Amino acid sequence: MLGWVVTFLVIALIAGILGFGGIAGASVEIAKIIFFIAVILFLVSAVVGLSRGRRI
């Protein structure tokens, strides 16, 4: 999922350099949304993993 974030950030950088402000802004917003979704999923996964504990 973080690969998508990097992809959209690269698209935003290239679009910004070439002068496409609208595309760059949209790509940055999409990258931020995907990044925060990835962080939330990571935290949920960490909490579930800690609540289960280790069973031997």
Side-chain angles (χ1 to χ4, degrees), residues 1-20:
M1 185 171 265
L2 291 178
W4 284 98
V5 172
V6 173
T7 302
F8 279 107
L9 285 176
V10 168
I11 290 171
L13 286 173
I14 293 171
I17 290 170
L18 295 176
F20 299 108

Side-chain angles (χ1 to χ4, degrees), residues 24-49:
S27 294
V28 168
E29 292 300 319
I30 292 171
K32 284 196 300 189
I33 291 169
I34 294 174
F35 175 75
F36 286 121
I37 290 172
V39 169
I40 290 169
L41 289 176
F42 169 75
L43 291 175
V44 169
S45 175
V47 168
V48 169

